[in-house]
Amino acid sequence: MSFFAEISFAAWMSLAALALVVIISCLNEDLNVGFLSIALAIVVGGIWVNLNAARVMNAFPLGLFMILAGVTFLFGLASTNGTMEKVAAHALRACGGQPAWLPLITYLLVTFLTTIGPGNIAATALVAPVAMAIAARVGLSAFLMTLLVVGAANGAAFSPFTPRASSPTA
């Protein structure tokens, strides 16, 4: 039996809905893709999985959404009032004008933030805008700085000092 024959029809409809959202988001930038995605999730869940809208919405990761919305709001304010540029300037000053030290300073900052508690996703969301400001200011590759931030956050998530969520069996 082939791999594609083992995938359920509901999974195919979910992929079709995702492709539809991506196509619509490319054609209409004014549309809120999040609301469209939630609506299509309710449609796919209701028609092909026999779930009501309340059960589909209960599966929505509200905690993660609140973290991301809060961090986005925080950094919107921080970039508006100039805090991002000040943090980038302090990072440059901390490395004594040697741009080669910036990746190490960024790595240590991300590792520290991940280890003290917010987790790798929140630490990435917190440091990524600062790292992009630093990269733009010094002329470093934004892609490599992104890899550095994500790698540091994920690496620090495996630290024995990082707080873990309690497991249901513990």
Side-chain angles (χ1 to χ4, degrees):
M1 226 171 143
S2 76
F3 171 73
F4 296 109
E6 296 176 15
I7 298 176
S8 69
F9 188 69
W12 284 112
M13 290 299 101
S14 177
L15 287 172
L18 176 64
L20 181 66
V21 167
V22 169
I23 291 169
I24 290 173
S25 70
C26 290
L27 298 176
N28 186 358
E29 294 177 5
D30 296 331
L31 182 69
N32 188 327
V33 182
F35 289 141
L36 178 63
S37 299
I38 291 172
L40 286 176
I42 291 172
V43 169
V44 169
I47 295 175
W48 288 286
V49 188
N50 295 324
L51 295 174
N52 59 12
R55 293 215 31 213
V56 172
M57 290 307 296
N58 283 339
F60 186 75
L62 189 60
L64 178 61
F65 172 76
M66 293 306 292
I67 288 171
L68 293 176
V71 168
T72 302
F73 182 67
L74 172 71
F75 278 100
L77 290 172
S79 65
T80 301
N81 69 11
T83 303
M84 304 284 279
E85 289 76 23
K86 289 178 186 175
V87 170
H90 286 299
L92 283 172
R93 223 174 292 126
C95 68
Q98 299 291 329
W101 288 99
L102 283 173
L104 179 63
I105 290 173
T106 305
Y107 185 89
L108 293 174
L109 177 65
V110 175
T111 301
F112 176 73
L113 284 175
T114 301
T115 304
I116 64 171
N120 56 340
I121 295 171
T124 300
L126 287 169
V127 178
V130 175
M132 293 303 111
I134 291 171
R137 184 173 219 166
V138 181
L140 292 174
S141 168
F143 179 69
L144 291 178
M145 189 63 90
T146 302
L147 289 177
L148 175 80
V149 169
V150 172
N154 287 332
F158 292 113
S159 167
F161 302 110
T162 303
R164 304 270 187 252
S166 61
S167 65
T169 58

